[in-house]
């Protein structure tokens, strides 16, 4: 088996998976609040396939930014606290009402979002008017004389007015292709009245956990058998990276069975990930089945996760071959391998704003030994004082310690030990 550094293998993985970003399939999804509420996963971590042009102005009409009175600013010229200007109160305008016109010498009670009357050019907030409450026309506030309000200052034209198209003009670029869709992006699309959008289809992964010993959780175990944790571990990790997953375990060490799964599953997949069967043992099903087909296996100078494989395999529906990534079989090794080599690539393709784990430089809470010839990744937690404390040992079968961790600590090649207080690179994994 060839030997590689962690950085060399990461570069090889990026080169292999670059094909996933080319000629991505596009799908159209309907957009409505009811659909988002009913099927939120359909909209989560989606990326626009094409530019979206606004079909109309936003806002679609001039409207009020405040509850107050719509006025002609010039009619309040010279107003001061000592020399107030009175205007007659006109009919109130609410959000959703038709557009009206302001009459000379009048102030129109207007609610936030209501259409600005034609001829008005400013809104005076209700708290700046005397009285600082809305007066009814034709109601208890009305007598034989017209209902009036007083203004103590001259507003500037456009005060508290939201003009039509001040956010987006019809025909202008609303969102560019490649934009990741979050709440604000979905909201502005909905605000234009669009009901369908084209998005990149999610990367589809065929996940194959291997091992003659693995069984489905909930079934009875015979001596020597274990429950399949890898399918759960990697399925959720892939979903969190914006993919769709078909988990198809291979509970046999027969290469023919594995090739059958690849043959049947690859036409509807963009990527194959296998777990287990890649070491130097006598019965390594992934190595035996996929090695002759073009997957290159190597030993990466890292712990856990040394045995790795990458390659393109000829498959139906993939004229240039389907990319295959193979991880070692211990759950911690598989998950650490995914974190380092695959997760950032998939998150970038899915349009995540942050593709890498947050990296901190923090002091150790304890002395640590590390194999100098390997890049060691240990599970850890962060103390309230900011120091890093390891959780569990380095062994790759200790999945419980991973579940109890909030961070991964990196000890690079060449480092044989680190003392209390020494700074180390830490990935936050609790977000």
């Amino acid at each position: 088996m060839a030997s590689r550094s962690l950085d060399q293998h990461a570069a090889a993985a990026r080169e292999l998976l670059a094909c996933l970003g080319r000629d991505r399939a596009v799908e159209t999804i309907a957009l409505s609040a009811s659909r988002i509420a009913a099927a939120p996963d359909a909209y989560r971590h989606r990326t626009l396939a094409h530019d979206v042009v606004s079909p109309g102005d936003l806002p679609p009409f001039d409207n009020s930014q405040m509850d107050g009175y719509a006025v002609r600013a010039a009619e309040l010229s010279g107003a001061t606290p000592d020399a107030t200007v009175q205007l007659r109160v006109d009919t109130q305008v609410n959000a959703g009402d038709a557009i009206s016109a302001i009459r000379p010498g009048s102030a129109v009670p207007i609610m936030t979002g209501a259409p600005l009357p034609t001829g008005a050019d400013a809104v005076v907030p209700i708290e700046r008017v005397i009285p600082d409450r809305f007066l009814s026309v034709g109601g208890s506030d009305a007598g034989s004389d017209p209902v009036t309000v007083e203004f103590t200052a001259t507003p500037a034209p456009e005060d508290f007015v939201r003009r039509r198209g001040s956010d987006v003009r019809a025909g202008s670029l609303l969102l560019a292709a490649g934009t990741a869709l979050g709440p604000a992006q979905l909201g502005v699309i909905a605000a234009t009245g669009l009901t369908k959008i084209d998005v990149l289809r999610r990367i589809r992964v065929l996940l194959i956990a291997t091992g003659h010993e693995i069984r489905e959780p909930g079934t009875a175990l015979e001596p020597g058998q274990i429950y399949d944790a890898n399918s759960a571990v990697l399925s959720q990790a892939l979903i969190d990276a914006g993919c769709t997953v078909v988990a198809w375990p291979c509970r046999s060490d027969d290469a023919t069975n594995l090739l059958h799964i690849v043959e049947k599953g690859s036409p509807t997949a963009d990527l194959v990930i296998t777990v287990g069967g890649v070491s130097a043992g006598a019965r390594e099903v992934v190595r035996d089945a996929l090695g002759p087909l073009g997957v290159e296996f190597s030993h990466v100078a890292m712990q856990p996760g040394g045995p790795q494989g990458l390659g393109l395999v000829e498959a139906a529906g993939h004229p240039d071959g389907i990319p295959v990534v193979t991880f070692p079989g211990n759950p911690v090794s598989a998950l650490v391998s995914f974190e380092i080599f695959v997760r950032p690539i998939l998150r970038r393709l899915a349009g995540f704003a942050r593709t890498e784990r947050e990296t901190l430089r923090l002091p150790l809470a304890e002395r640590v030994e590390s194999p100098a010839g390997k890049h060691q990744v240990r599970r850890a937690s962060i103390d309230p004082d900011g120091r890093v404390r390891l959780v569990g040992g380095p062994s790759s079968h200790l999945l419980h310690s991973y579940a109890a961790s909030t961070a991964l600590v990196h000890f690079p090649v060449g480092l044989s030990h680190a003392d209390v207080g020494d700074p180390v690179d830490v990935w936050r994994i609790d977000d």
Side-chain angles (χ1 to χ4, degrees), residues 168-245:
V168 177
R169 285 289 185 186
S172 65
L173 180 65
L174 189 68
L175 294 170
T179 298
L181 298 180
Q185 291 76 27
L186 290 170
V188 76
I189 293 171
T192 68
L194 290 171
T195 59
K196 294 181 180 179
I197 48 176
D198 291 335
V199 296
L200 295 177
R201 193 190 65 206
R202 289 189 172 111
I203 301 295
R204 303 169 302 176
V205 181
L206 172 61
L207 173 64
I208 309 173
T210 68
H212 182 64
E213 73 280 13
I214 64 172
R215 292 294 182 271
E216 182 73 16
T219 61
L221 293 180
E222 299 293 335
Q225 296 177 348
I226 60 173
Y227 290 122
D228 175 15
N230 281 324
S231 291
V233 166
L234 270 298
S235 289
Q236 188 59 55
L238 286 161
I239 291 168
D240 287 346
C243 300
T244 61
V245 186

Side-chain angles (χ1 to χ4, degrees), residues 89 133-142 147:
V89 176
R133 60 183 177 85
F134 288 107
L135 301 178
S136 59
V137 178
S140 60
D141 295 309
V147 177

Side-chain angles (χ1 to χ4, degrees), residues 9 34 41 47 65 85 95 115 133-134 147 151 157 166 182 209 214 229 235 246 256 312 314 318 410 420:
H9 193 73
S34 60
D41 287 342
T47 302
Q65 185 180 337
V85 174
R133 60 183 177 85
F134 288 107
V147 177
F151 297 87
S166 56
I214 64 172
S235 289
V246 172
T256 302
L312 287 171
E314 184 179 340
H318 299 273
H410 293 262
V420 174

